[in-house]
Amino acid sequence: MNRREALKVAGVAAVLAAVGSEAKMLEEHMNRIEMSPKDSAKMDKGELKHSPLVTLKEKDANGYTLVEITVGQGGIIHPSTPDHWIDFIELYADDKLVGKNILEPEISRGAASFAVKLDNVKTLKAKAGCNLHGIWTTTLSV
Ligand SMILES: [Fe+2]
């Protein structure tokens, strides 16, 4: 292969890599749709599987309350396989970001905890992102 042919091959490879990267970004964006249960009092299995469960635990000596978030309710645990997993969990206190955990498939499942000062906080909002089924939110009054 001469220099000119090598440059052509490199150019085609770069275009293919860019198209692949763009397709992956588009797929990730499409999976970022905000979802919510139709009726939070009577969630179906899919809604239970994706809705974060927010549990307040003990408060430490410095005034931080442990806020535990697991994804799945009613005994249903969201799967964590190479093709389908909870890829992030965020926690907001009165719409202010407390923190965000990025999760990897298989080695972890949809769970995170944050130590939060809840003085004057009225609501906690947990968001969980499923790589296939969108972003699910649970809001808790404190
Ligand atoms: Fe899912």
Side-chain angles (χ1 to χ4, degrees):
M1 180 182 318
N2 65 30
R3 186 169 189 271
R4 186 183 191 116
E5 289 168 339
L7 287 173
K8 270 188 191 172
V9 170
V12 169
V15 168
L16 289 175
V19 168
S21 173
E22 197 168 300
K24 188 172 185 230
M25 282 173 56
L26 183 62
E27 182 183 288
E28 287 171 357
H29 181 71
M30 287 174 68
N31 294 332
R32 304 293 78 167
I33 297 168
E34 295 273 348
M35 304 293 288
S36 59
K38 288 173 222 88
D39 178 355
S40 57
K42 290 194 298 184
M43 288 194 269
D44 66 25
K45 202 173 171 183
E47 293 166 339
L48 285 168
K49 185 165 65 175
H50 288 91
S51 295
L53 179 65
V54 181
T55 309
L56 299 184
K57 300 286 189 170
E58 69 276 3
K59 188 186 224 180
D60 69 19
N62 288 347
Y64 292 91
T65 301
L66 190 62
V67 179
E68 188 179 275
I69 302 159
T70 54
V71 181
Q73 299 189 15
I76 301 172
I77 297 172
H78 190 280
S80 185
T81 64
D83 300 327
H84 184 200
W85 79 102
I86 299 299
D87 60 3
F88 76 87
I89 293 175
E90 294 173 338
L91 180 67
Y92 294 83
D94 291 334
D95 295 324
K96 181 179 182 189
L97 181 65
V98 171
K100 178 174 184 170
N101 279 14
I102 306 295
L103 303 167
E104 294 295 325
E106 291 191 292
I107 189 93
S108 68
R109 76 167 189 91
S113 62
F114 301 89
V116 187
K117 275 217 168 147
L118 293 178
D119 308 335
N120 305 316
V121 171
K122 290 180 177 59
T123 59
L124 287 174
K125 192 187 300 176
K127 290 182 176 244
C130 170
N131 72 311
L132 295 181
H133 303 114
I135 298 168
W136 296 75
T137 301
T138 294
T139 303
L140 182 75
S141 295
V142 291

